[in-house]
Amino acid sequence: MGSVPAPLGRGIRIAAWASFCAEVLIIATGGAVRLTGSGLGCSEWPLCTPESLVPTAEQGFHGVIEFGNRTLTGLVGILAIVVLLLTLRALGGRRSLSSALVFAAGALGAGGVAWTVASLLGFEGDKGFPFFTAALLLVTIIGAVRSVRITPDRRDLSVLAWIVLIGVVAQAFVGGITVLTQLNPFIVGFHYVASVLLVTVTAAYLVRLTTVAGPRERAVPTWFAIATHVTGLALAATIFFGVLTTGSGPHSGDANVIREGFDATVLAHVHSWPGYVLAALVLVLSVAAWIQHLQPRRWLLVLAAIIVLQVIVGVIQAREGLPALLVGIHMVLAALSAATYVVVVLRLKRPA
């Protein structure tokens, strides 16, 4: 994606790529949890059982799968923190870094107080964890606002880094609610969509990391920019109906959780309509970009390849009765298509 401009160096780039890969990987492991029926492999949150943080022998395979996904969540959070601290240190110096660390300590303290108060009110054990994460999230958001205000240089990077960290904390909150609500399909779907959005934000950070700061101007014709944004609407609609389809299908996340509501067969057809529109739009944009030698042309080819693969996997899985492996691949490819689309959009402009 180009050379990294000073003062941002190789360390930030490596950490940012690791964060992006971890965000994609957690979608894969989250899909494995759901597709193997391990959604309630750990019955509690944040503990795995009322007496143990880790899964017990009685929980078997499902407990290991669910706990593995939780463990990866910790890694995602650590990488988000590393990217944020490296970014603040490079852009704002010790002042920005110290401010972030102070708010981090305050967030943990606020979370501890919230959990204690919740326990006193009768919300003991795992029932107090949502209060902890909610307080943690609130103070983190306040810290982010303060940090951005005192970091004048490359605010785009600091904002993106903060969004990822806030998103990870919010995802921990939603994950706990998912377990406590016995895998409510709408919360599970929101959990996945939030993960896809975090993948796109980490992708945007990687692009901006290698982009010269300053004013930017449009690098493509007006019609091309409009068509690209319309393509984004088609992509969003495809993912949205895909989430509804999966939420209404046989992969509920646990053998005892039965989905009743939308007709998965009908939704599968509805899901395919914006998918085909998306494929057609990407094909038109790709051809036009190469004919006119437009800046996003290489990334449009990548997007086209992912979309074609998505269509193939979607057709096969529909005909084969939604085998778990293909559904998991479909989920990951959706996240990669969203990330690639973000790169294409960011390539519509160039430094003025």
Side-chain angles (χ1 to χ4, degrees), residues 35-112:
L35 298 170
T36 59
S38 304
L40 297 177
C42 288
S43 60
E44 309 295 324
W45 182 273
L47 300 178
C48 192
T49 70
E51 298 80 22
S52 175
L53 173 64
V54 300
T56 61
E58 291 75 13
Q59 292 171 297
F61 172 76
H62 295 308
V64 173
I65 293 293
E66 163 67 0
F67 187 74
N69 184 60
R70 293 187 182 188
T71 303
L72 184 59
T73 300
L75 175 61
V76 169
I78 291 173
L79 289 172
I81 292 172
V82 170
V83 172
L84 175 63
L85 295 180
L86 288 176
T87 302
L88 295 179
R89 181 67 180 86
L91 300 178
R94 292 184 178 180
R95 184 187 180 196
S96 295
L97 185 59
S98 299
S99 176
L101 293 175
V102 168
F103 273 97
L108 292 174

Side-chain angles (χ1 to χ4, degrees), residues 145 215 217 248 324:
V145 174
E217 62 182 12
S248 304

Side-chain angles (χ1 to χ4, degrees), residues 31 34 43 74 77 90 114 120 145 175 201 211 232 278 291 332:
R34 182 171 186 172
S43 60
L120 294 175
V145 174
V201 175
T211 302
L278 171 64
I291 291 176
V332 173

Side-chain angles (χ1 to χ4, degrees), residues 156-295:
D156 55 337
L157 293 177
S158 59
V159 167
L160 290 171
W162 273 111
I163 289 175
V164 174
L165 180 58
I166 291 171
V168 171
V169 176
Q171 280 288 70
F173 175 79
V174 175
I177 297 299
T178 301
V179 174
L180 297 178
T181 58
Q182 301 294 298
L183 306 182
N184 180 287
F186 295 104
I187 297 179
V188 172
F190 176 80
H191 202 37
Y192 171 75
V193 171
S195 294
V196 172
L197 291 176
L198 286 177
V199 170
T200 63
V201 175
T202 53
Y205 181 95
L206 284 167
V207 175
R208 297 298 297 165
L209 183 64
T210 57
T211 302
V212 177
R216 297 171 63 76
E217 62 182 12
R218 188 158 43 83
V220 298
T222 302
W223 75 266
F224 190 93
I226 294 174
T228 301
H229 291 299
V230 172
T231 301
L233 294 176
L235 175 60
T238 303
I239 293 176
F240 173 76
F241 286 111
V243 170
L244 287 182
T245 303
T246 303
S248 304
H251 303 294
S252 62
D254 188 87
N256 297 320
V257 176
I258 306 300
R259 295 287 183 247
E260 296 180 356
F262 298 111
D263 188 326
T265 303
V266 173
L267 278 176
H269 290 289
V270 175
H271 167 52
S272 67
W273 299 338
Y276 291 129
V277 172
L278 171 64
L281 286 171
V282 171
L283 176 61
V284 171
L285 289 173
S286 299
V287 172
W290 278 94
I291 291 176
Q292 300 186 34
H293 301 284
L294 301 179
Q295 188 169 258

